[in-house]
């Protein structure tokens, strides 16, 4: 059997009892660099076409990225052509800097500068692997050999930049697989690279990749803090982070790395990338947003982001993907639905967002509340109540919420599927507003004295019927009249009503709870006024009892 945990060893940790990152709090967004067009693209079964890349580029510009890695032009002709497309057609805004990746090889560096000729500003991102595994098995060299590769690559980057003086160059170096490298050796290599670039006066970026995520996020944060503390050239560079998601912690590792001293984050929209993916910029940015921090990215049209990324990568988004998935603002659980409904009802526009189960307002991302509450057999009265209030303006009393939710649950269990809002409305109308008994209030006259006297003309399946009664109000008078005609006791247990609309075309909704020979019957009606609706609600409740229909 090959499933044996003993063939693995834990990732090394750093003894740093005075670590400071746990005491830090994020108060601003890092500088973002989107790498969808390079790191994300290389991970696709079918790499993006130029048209798809341009579509992604347009999306990134709308979102507001200032750094975008656009390709590896020296290793791929399509990447070279795409970089030229952006430059030759003047598609790069003045405040945006493109970044390209290149290995520490002279021929590739020369080709990279050719691809970037004519750009206003650009970042040349050079890298080589420095971790023990690749030193031993891939390069067959020692630490000095690997450092020499990095230094020589940095020197070529510096020298070739002089041939293109009209571009504002920035230099970036990545000790690939930093997360698996001895942290003191990573510092040694990066200081050597910085020494090659310092005298140029060019902006410098040191990018620390968790090329493969091998530890918990706190260990990665320790690595980053130790690196920042011990890097001799720290004040001269921006520290960038590039995490992957092998352990499912890419976002967490990036967040803790910022606390540990990082200035910049590389990632992809919705996390596409090698193996389990890159760090998801959407998730991390929205995490900041949910804490009241401006992410400095406009993610308000989330549906457009999802559709564009899915179309260009040909990868469907999981419905539970943080912030962006179809179901992340949806509640099926009855208790969750009830809490959401009550929180939304109490929400005030000038107060901080504080709604149960919804860390952010879905409307901020262009989502409507239609998808927030959905109904299946696990749902309760809260969700059903919310949908009826939203769609029909009905404010169901608690006893009616309970009665109707049972009917909805029975329908959901019978179908073994989700019940749509249209089905819920139809079910409510069928059971309460349009009952099959066919009894309707046609005309009525209400006279007030010491008691109210009511005369009603009912339309029944067998023709018109006139009944009359007295009581303390119209509802009691009708119940007494019906009881007198049938000899069956009717008790009014509860009643509520409310206006539906305002103005000359106003209507009212009425809800009645009757007790008839030990049975509780719910009635609902919508009428031209409160009295009309109240009388019809009594009829709709009472006529559900077959014995009471002998009045006709």
């Amino acid at each position: 059997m090959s499933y044996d945990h003993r063939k693995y060893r834990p990732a090394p940790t750093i003894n740093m009892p005075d670590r400071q990152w746990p005491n830090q709090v994020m108060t601003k967004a890092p500088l973002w660099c989107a790498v969808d067009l390079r790191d994300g693209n290389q991970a696709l079964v079918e790499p993006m076409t130029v048209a798809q890349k341009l579509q992604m580029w347009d999306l990134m510009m709308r979102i507001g990225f200032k750094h975008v890695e656009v390709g590896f032009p020296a290793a791929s002709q399509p990447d070279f052509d795409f970089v030229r497309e952006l430059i030759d057609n003047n598609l790069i805004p003045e405040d945006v800097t493109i970044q390209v990746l290149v290995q520490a090889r002279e021929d590739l560096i020369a080709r990279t500068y050719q691809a970037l000729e004519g750009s206003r500003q650009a970042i040349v991102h050079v890298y080589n692997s420095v971790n023990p595994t690749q030193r031993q098995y891939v390069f067959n060299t020692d630490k000095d050999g690997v450092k020499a590769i990095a230094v020589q690559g940095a020197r070529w980057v510096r020298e070739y930049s002089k041939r293109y003086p009209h571009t504002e160059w920035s230099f970036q170096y990545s000790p690939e697989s930093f997360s698996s490298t001895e942290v003191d050796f990573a510092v040694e290599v990066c200081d050597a690279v910085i020494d090659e670039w310092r005298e140029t006066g060019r902006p410098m970026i040191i990018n620390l990749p968790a090329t493969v995520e091998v530890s918990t996020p706190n260990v990665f944060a320790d690595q980053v803090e130790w690196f920042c503390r011990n890097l001799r050239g720290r004040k001269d560079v921006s520290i960038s982070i590039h995490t992957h998601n092998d352990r499912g912690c890419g976002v967490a590792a990036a967040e803790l790395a910022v606390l540990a001293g990082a200035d910049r984050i590389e990632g992809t929209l919705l996390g596409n990338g090698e193996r389990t993916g890159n760090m998801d910029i959407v998730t991390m940015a929205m995490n900041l947003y949910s804490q009241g921090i401006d992410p400095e990215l406009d993610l308000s049209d989330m549906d457009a982001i999802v559709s564009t990324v899915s179309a260009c990568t040909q990868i469907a988004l999981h419905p539970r993907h943080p912030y962006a998935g179809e179901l992340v603002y949806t509640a099926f659980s009855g208790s969750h639905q009830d809490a959401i409904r009550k929180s939304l009802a109490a929400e005030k526009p000038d107060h901080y967002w504080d709604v149960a189960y919804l860390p952010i307002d879905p409307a901020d991302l262009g989502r409507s509340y239609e998808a927030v509450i959905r109904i299946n057999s696990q749902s309760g009265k809260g969700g059903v109540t919310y949908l009826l209030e939203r769609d029909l303006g009905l404010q169901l009393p608690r006893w009616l919420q309970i009665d109707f939710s049972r009917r909805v649950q029975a329908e959901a269990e019978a179908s073994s599927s989700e019940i749509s809002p249209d089905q819920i409305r139809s079910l409510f109308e069928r059971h309460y507003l349009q009952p099959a008994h066919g009894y309707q209030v046609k005309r009525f006259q209400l006279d007030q004295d010491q008691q109210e006297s009511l005369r009603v003309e009912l339309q029944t399946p067998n023709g018109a019927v006139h009944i009359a009664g007295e009581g303390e109000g119209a509802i009691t008078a009708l119940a007494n009249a019906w009881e007198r005609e049938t000899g069956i006791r009717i008790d009014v247990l509860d009643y509520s009503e409310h206006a539906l609309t305002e103005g000359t075309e106003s209507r009212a909704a009425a809800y009645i709870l009757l007790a008839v020979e030990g049975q509780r019957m719910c009635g609902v009606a919508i009428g031209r006024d409160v009295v009309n609706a109240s009388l019809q609600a009594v009829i709709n409740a009472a006529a559900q009892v077959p014995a009471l229909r002998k009045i006709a």
Side-chain angles (χ1 to χ4, degrees), residues 1-9:
M1 181 176 178
S2 64
Y3 187 75
D4 185 354
H5 67 278
R6 291 171 296 182
K7 70 180 181 182
Y8 302 102
R9 56 187 171 184

Side-chain angles (χ1 to χ4, degrees), residues 222-241:
D222 282 349
Q223 291 175 309
V224 173
E225 181 171 331
W226 198 97
F227 182 93
C228 290
R229 283 192 194 183
N230 291 277
L231 185 71
R232 189 175 67 251
R234 174 67 181 95
K235 64 181 178 58
D236 300 317
V237 300
S238 173
I239 299 295
S240 180
I241 299 296

Side-chain angles (χ1 to χ4, degrees), residues 262-452:
D263 310 297
R264 181 179 184 265
I265 296 294
E266 294 189 347
T268 61
L269 292 171
L270 305 176
N272 172 51
E274 297 276 21
R275 302 178 309 281
T276 56
N278 284 41
M279 201 287 301
D280 177 8
I281 288 180
V282 169
T283 298
M284 184 170 173
M286 287 307 304
N287 284 351
L288 294 175
Y289 182 85
S290 72
Q291 301 301 302
I293 300 171
D294 182 1
E296 300 180 15
L297 296 175
D298 183 359
L299 303 175
S300 59
D301 193 353
M302 190 62 75
D303 287 341
I305 294 171
V306 171
S307 62
T308 300
V309 173
S310 297
C312 293
T313 63
Q314 301 182 56
I315 298 174
L317 188 73
H318 194 285
R320 298 292 184 189
H321 192 102
Y323 298 105
E326 179 187 354
L327 296 179
V328 295
Y329 306 110
T330 298
F332 289 102
S333 161
S335 61
H336 290 200
Q337 293 170 346
D338 188 56
I340 291 172
R341 181 181 65 85
K342 290 174 179 175
S343 297
L344 288 173
E347 186 68 17
K348 297 178 181 178
D350 296 331
H351 288 61
Y352 287 116
W353 178 258
D354 187 21
V355 174
Y357 301 108
L358 293 178
I360 68 161
D361 184 349
D364 292 353
L365 301 184
R367 300 285 174 87
S368 71
Y369 290 119
E370 293 178 4
V372 171
I373 291 180
R374 290 165 62 172
I375 308 300
N376 63 14
S377 62
Q378 303 300 306
S379 306
K381 63 183 185 301
V384 172
T385 301
Y386 172 85
L387 292 175
L388 289 177
E389 185 170 351
R390 184 196 70 193
D391 296 341
L392 299 178
L394 300 177
Q395 301 168 17
L396 274 58
R398 180 175 174 77
W399 43 265
L400 186 56
Q401 294 175 24
I402 296 171
D403 186 79
F404 183 53
S405 66
R406 289 171 181 161
R407 298 180 188 275
V408 172
Q409 185 170 17
E411 187 88 0
E413 289 174 350
S415 63
S416 299
S417 64
E418 180 183 349
I419 304 297
S420 71
D422 287 341
Q423 289 174 296
I424 290 170
R425 288 193 297 271
S426 176
L427 191 65
F428 186 84
E429 290 169 353
R430 188 165 70 249
H431 279 286
Y432 301 106
L433 296 177
Q434 300 169 355
H437 54 67
Y439 284 65
Q440 293 288 331
V441 175
K442 298 298 290 181
R443 283 181 289 274
F444 67 89
Q445 181 177 342
L446 184 63
D447 298 321
Q448 293 182 331
D449 195 1
Q450 291 182 342
Q451 283 194 320
E452 295 195 18

Side-chain angles (χ1 to χ4, degrees), residues 82-311:
F82 178 67
V83 173
R84 294 311 315 167
E85 176 95 7
L86 294 176
I87 296 170
D88 294 340
N89 292 300
N90 198 28
L91 298 178
I92 307 169
E94 291 187 4
D95 62 344
V96 172
T97 303
I98 58 172
Q99 173 177 305
V100 295
L101 188 69
V102 62
Q103 289 175 324
R105 287 171 43 190
E106 184 176 12
D107 59 328
L108 299 182
I109 291 171
R111 178 71 167 161
T112 297
Y113 277 100
Q114 292 172 10
L116 291 169
E117 183 177 7
S119 59
R120 281 188 293 268
Q121 61 267 335
I123 301 168
V124 178
H125 178 189
V126 64
Y127 75 97
N128 67 302
S129 295
V130 298
N131 68 313
T133 301
Q134 298 216 44
R135 294 199 305 259
Q136 180 177 357
Y137 300 125
V138 179
F139 300 109
N140 192 27
T141 188
D142 56 12
K143 288 182 177 179
D144 288 340
V146 165
K147 185 169 79 169
I149 293 172
V151 170
Q152 181 60 69
R155 189 171 298 143
W156 283 325
V157 167
R158 182 193 67 204
E159 293 302 317
Y160 274 89
S161 71
K162 296 176 183 178
R163 304 183 185 186
Y164 304 89
H166 300 298
T167 298
E168 296 178 14
W169 298 109
S170 295
F171 302 147
Q172 176 170 323
Y173 173 69
S174 287
E176 189 187 2
S177 299
F178 165 79
S179 55
S180 303
T181 300
E182 308 93 326
V183 68
D184 57 340
F185 179 58
V187 167
E188 180 182 337
V189 172
C190 290
D191 267 329
V193 168
I194 293 168
D195 288 343
E196 284 294 323
W197 288 342
R198 182 178 284 110
E199 298 305 319
T200 68
R202 302 291 188 184
M204 294 180 286
I205 301 167
I206 296 296
N207 186 57
L208 304 178
T211 308
V212 177
E213 186 178 38
V214 296
S215 68
T216 52
N218 63 298
V219 172
F220 185 69
D222 282 349
Q223 291 175 309
V224 173
E225 181 171 331
W226 198 97
F227 182 93
C228 290
R229 283 192 194 183
N230 291 277
L231 185 71
R232 189 175 67 251
R234 174 67 181 95
K235 64 181 178 58
D236 300 317
V237 300
S238 173
I239 299 295
S240 180
I241 299 296
H242 182 114
T243 58
H244 279 254
N245 207 39
D246 297 271
R247 293 169 56 94
C249 300
V251 169
E255 289 177 329
L256 296 192
V258 171
L259 299 181
D263 310 297
R264 181 179 184 265
I265 296 294
E266 294 189 347
T268 61
L269 292 171
L270 305 176
N272 172 51
E274 297 276 21
R275 302 178 309 281
T276 56
N278 284 41
M279 201 287 301
D280 177 8
I281 288 180
V282 169
T283 298
M284 184 170 173
M286 287 307 304
N287 284 351
L288 294 175
Y289 182 85
S290 72
Q291 301 301 302
I293 300 171
D294 182 1
E296 300 180 15
L297 296 175
D298 183 359
L299 303 175
S300 59
D301 193 353
M302 190 62 75
D303 287 341
I305 294 171
V306 171
S307 62
T308 300
V309 173
S310 297

